[in-house]
């Protein structure tokens, strides 16, 4: 994970291209540091992106599988990611996802947590939990219907479809799709425009512009994941 200050914007770049930029404990720690830095003087916008062909392929399944023998530790690790997504949603400054490539599972959930998402037109975006024999736990079952409506949300969740960045923009999952070569420049300009606005007004706008989350739906998702993980942990080897 690399953090880079670009004027009023603090960029976080997940830098594990060999692992699809999967969300490991080290990545989570880097994202927590990125969020904490929103309180630093002069930081007006947070931007999240990835290195190489992936934005974020989701939770690091290698690390998760290593914890299968300790259900308590595994659930604590998963809950850290869940709390991280909620922290992105509550960040003190606007957040932008610059979706450079594949965004699946937890990567989709990080995208959904950001206030604005801009994708490369060639990016690949989907839930893909079922493809790994998993169910979501970081919010996609709650946030997807808010972004694209319940019918399209179910297609992504249940059918496991993958959309391009252009598809995602047409269906409202991201605000727009731009040529991959232009993504960083385009998002940097967007961050500058936001940073030029009245800071107090922007903070108050976040209060009314961010979605109201159904707490029951959020808890139901976590209970479902916990039950599923417990079943996997108890399966004979």
């Amino acid at each position: 994970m690399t953090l880079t200050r670009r004027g009023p914007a603090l960029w976080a770049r997940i830098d594990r291209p060999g692992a699809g930029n999967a969300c490991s404990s080290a990545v989570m720690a880097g994202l927590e540091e990125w969020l904490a830095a929103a309180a630093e003087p002069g930081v007006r916008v947070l931007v999240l992106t990835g290195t190489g062909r992936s934005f974020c392929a989701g939770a690091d399944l290698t690390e998760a599988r290593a914890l299968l023998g300790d259900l308590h530790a595994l659930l604590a690790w998963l809950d850290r990611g869940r709390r991280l997504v909620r922290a992105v949603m509550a960040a003190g400054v606007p957040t932008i996802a610059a979706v450079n490539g594949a965004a699946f599972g937890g990567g989709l959930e990080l995208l959904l947590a950001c206030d604005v998402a801009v994708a490369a037109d060639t990016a690949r975006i989907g839930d893909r939990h079922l493809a790994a024999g998993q169910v979501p736990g970081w919010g996609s079952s709650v946030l997807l219907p808010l972004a694209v409506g319940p019918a399209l949300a179910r297609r992504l969740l249940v059918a496991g479809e993958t959309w391009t960045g252009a598809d995602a923009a047409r269906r409202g999952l991201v605000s727009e799709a731009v040529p991959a070569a232009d993504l960083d420049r385009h998002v940097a300009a967007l961050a500058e425009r936001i940073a030029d606005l009245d800071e107090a007004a922007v903070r108050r706008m976040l209060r009314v512009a961010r979605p109201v989350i159904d707490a029951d739906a959020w808890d139901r998702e976590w209970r479902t994941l916990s039950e599923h993980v417990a079943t996997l942990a108890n399966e004979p080897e």
Side-chain angles (χ1 to χ4, degrees):
M1 170 70 71
T2 58
L3 302 183
T4 306
R5 184 74 177 267
R6 295 170 64 171
L10 180 63
W11 287 60
R13 186 176 298 273
I14 305 175
D15 194 15
R16 302 183 68 211
N21 292 331
C23 206
S24 63
S25 293
V27 169
M28 290 187 207
L31 290 173
E32 290 160 354
E33 180 183 349
W34 171 66
L35 288 167
E40 294 180 0
V43 174
R44 301 286 299 277
V45 184
L46 297 176
V47 180
L48 177 61
T49 193
T51 297
R53 300 174 60 184
S54 293
F55 172 72
C56 175
D60 188 329
L61 294 182
T62 299
E63 188 169 351
R65 290 187 184 111
L67 295 171
L68 274 175
D70 186 340
L71 181 59
H72 178 77
L74 176 56
L75 288 173
W77 184 82
L78 291 168
D79 189 50
R80 183 181 184 183
R82 177 177 182 253
R83 288 184 284 109
L84 177 61
V85 167
R86 290 302 297 262
V88 174
M89 295 168 62
V93 299
T95 53
I96 304 174
V99 188
N100 57 296
F104 298 132
L108 171 64
E109 288 159 322
L110 286 169
L111 179 165
L112 289 165
C114 290
D115 296 307
V116 180
V118 180
D121 53 9
T122 54
R124 296 175 299 123
I125 302 170
D127 182 74
R128 299 289 294 275
H129 278 100
L130 283 179
Q134 301 296 327
V135 295
W138 295 0
S140 61
S141 72
V142 181
L143 301 177
L144 265 176
L146 296 175
V148 300
L152 286 175
R154 283 192 295 270
R155 276 179 56 176
L156 278 180
L157 289 165
V158 177
E161 290 188 356
T162 298
W163 296 348
T164 65
D167 292 333
R170 187 170 64 252
R171 292 163 174 160
L173 182 56
V174 301
S175 65
E176 59 187 318
V178 300
D182 297 337
L183 179 64
D184 272 22
R185 181 169 61 251
H186 186 89
V187 170
L190 175 60
E192 288 280 354
R193 289 200 300 275
I194 294 172
D196 284 341
L197 300 171
D198 181 81
E199 184 174 7
V202 168
R203 290 180 183 273
R204 292 189 176 98
M205 182 62 79
L206 293 178
R207 296 182 196 170
V208 297
R210 285 173 170 165
V212 176
I213 301 303
D214 183 333
D216 289 340
W218 191 265
D219 290 343
R220 179 185 63 194
E221 183 189 83
W222 179 250
R223 289 195 305 270
T224 302
L225 174 65
S226 299
E227 292 167 4
H228 185 69
V229 168
T231 299
L232 294 177
N234 290 326
E235 285 182 352
E237 295 186 3

